Amino acid sequence: MSATTKPTAQVAVPFPSELPPGYAWFDDEPVFDPERHLRLEQPAEITTLADLGYGPDDIAGKATTIAASSPFRVLSDEGAEVMLAVARRLRAFCRPAGDRIERTVRGGCYRSKWLRDLCISPEVTQHFADIYGTSIAPHPMPVHLGHINYEPSRIEAAVDKWHHDTIPLDYVMMVTDPAVTPGGRFEYFLGTKAEAAAMRARGETPPAERIVAPEFPGPGPGSVIALHGDMVVHRGGPLTELAERITMVNAFVSADASLDAQSRNRDLIGVDDPQTLYSEWARAVAWRSRDRLDAIVASAGFDGDVESVATQLEFAIDDVRTAIDEMRSGGGVIEHYE
C-alpha cells in the first residue's frame, strides 16, 4: 500500500444470513449502538515485528509490520457492561480447546447479535485498519469472531498457554477488570516464534526479563491490545487465586488476498462444530482464491510463458488445495509452546 492510500474497512465474506444447526439468537439483548457502546481511542505506543527480532524475510508477505500496541479503550462504560453480561451468558457454552485452554466459547456471534454487530462493526474495523496501517476485513470465518476465554478451574493452570494465534490479526479485550483480577495478566514475549520454539525444545518458557505485561488504563473493561496474533507469542498468565477472568478476542484478515493467509485452520478440527467449521473454512479460502483468480482475469498482455502462467494459477488456488488436504487428513495437535 502506498503512503498516500488510506487503509479501509472492507468485507471479505458477508456474515451468514442463517444460523448453523444447534444455534439460536438470544432474544432479550440490547441493540448494538456505536454511538453509545464504543469509545474508540488510539494506542500510545506501537511495537513492530522488527522490534521482536523478525528480519525482512520473516516480515515479507505478512499483513502488517505492526506486532502489538499498548492498551487502549474500544468500548464505552455502557458497552463494557453489555460485553460482560453477554460473556457471562455465553459461559454456559464453554468447552476446552485441546490441551491449551480449558474454558472457551467460540461461535458466540451465532448466539448474540450484540456481539456479532460489535465484531463486524465497520467503525471498529476502520479504527483497527488505521492502527495496523493496512486495509482489513472482519475474519471471513465467524468462529474467529468474538472468541471468549474464561478462567481455569485449577489455580495452578495458566489461563492460556504460551502460543501464537491461528489467525493473522486480532485484538484482545479485557472483559473483566484486570485491575482487580488476582493475576491472570496478558503477557507477550519480546522475541520471535523461532526463539520460543527453541526454548520449548529445551524445556524452557520465555524468561521474565523478556516478557511484557501491559498496564491497562482504568477503567480496564473494554480496553484492548491490538495484536499481530500469528507472529506474537503470548499467553494469559496464571491467576494467584481463583476468580472470574474473561477476555474476548476478535479477528481480522488483510483485505489483500495475495498476502500470506497466516492461519492454521487445521487446529480447529475437533474444537469447532464440524458443520460450522468446514462451511466457513470453504468460504474463506474460496474468497482468497477468487480474489487471486480475478487478478489473473484482469491482467493484460500476452507475454506469459507456460511456467509463469502455471505458477500464477498454482498460487491462485493454493489455499483451496491446502484446505482440501487438511480437511481430509483430519485434525492435528493444537500448537503451543509449553
Side-chain angles (χ1 to χ4, degrees), residues 43-269:
E45 299 177 359
I46 291 291
T47 299
T48 68
L49 294 177
D51 293 334
L52 299 186
Y54 287 107
D57 290 344
D58 302 312
I59 298 171
K62 300 302 184 288
T64 179
T65 60
I66 303 300
S69 74
S70 57
F72 59 97
R73 289 296 296 269
V74 162
L75 295 181
S76 66
D77 291 346
E78 182 180 354
E81 290 176 3
V82 177
M83 181 68 245
L84 179 58
V86 168
R88 286 172 170 169
R89 191 170 183 179
L90 287 168
R91 183 186 285 270
F93 303 97
C94 274
R95 63 176 68 173
D99 67 347
R100 204 189 86 192
I101 183 167
E102 180 185 354
R103 293 173 172 170
T104 188
V105 166
R106 292 171 61 78
C109 286
Y110 288 129
R111 303 185 190 277
S112 167
K113 291 183 179 179
W114 189 92
L115 182 62
R116 175 201 64 189
D117 292 346
L118 167 64
C119 291
I120 65 174
S121 160
E123 294 88 356
V124 175
T125 305
Q126 182 62 59
H127 192 67
F128 280 87
D130 292 337
I131 291 170
Y132 288 123
T134 190
S135 295
I136 59 173
H139 202 288
M141 297 175 62
V143 291
H144 287 312
L145 303 177
H147 169 116
I148 300 178
N149 291 331
Y150 300 85
E151 73 284 343
S153 61
R154 298 173 294 110
I155 190 63
E156 67 272 17
V159 174
D160 195 355
K161 295 178 179 178
W162 286 107
H163 68 283
H164 67 274
D165 290 333
T166 61
I167 48 182
L169 303 175
D170 56 82
Y171 61 79
V172 181
M173 175 179 286
M174 299 298 114
V175 179
T176 48
D177 191 348
V180 299
T181 302
R185 300 290 301 276
F186 174 84
E187 301 173 336
Y188 69 88
F189 173 47
L190 284 174
T192 68
K193 293 187 291 185
E195 289 180 280
M199 288 178 184
R200 178 183 59 190
R202 298 192 299 267
E204 303 170 0
T205 54
E209 65 272 15
R210 297 184 67 188
I211 293 173
V212 176
E215 290 291 336
F216 283 81
S223 296
V224 309
I225 284 177
L227 200 65
H228 199 144
D230 172 57
M231 298 294 283
V232 179
V233 177
H234 57 283
R235 74 165 181 170
L239 296 163
T240 56
E241 61 182 83
L242 288 179
E244 183 180 46
R245 191 268 191 191
I246 307 173
T247 56
M248 187 271 277
V249 180
N250 194 49
F252 303 102
V253 295
S254 171
D256 184 352
S258 71
L259 299 177
D260 293 348
Q262 298 187 257
S263 299
R264 298 194 316 278
N265 292 323
R266 187 178 178 184
D267 283 22
L268 309 177
I269 299 174

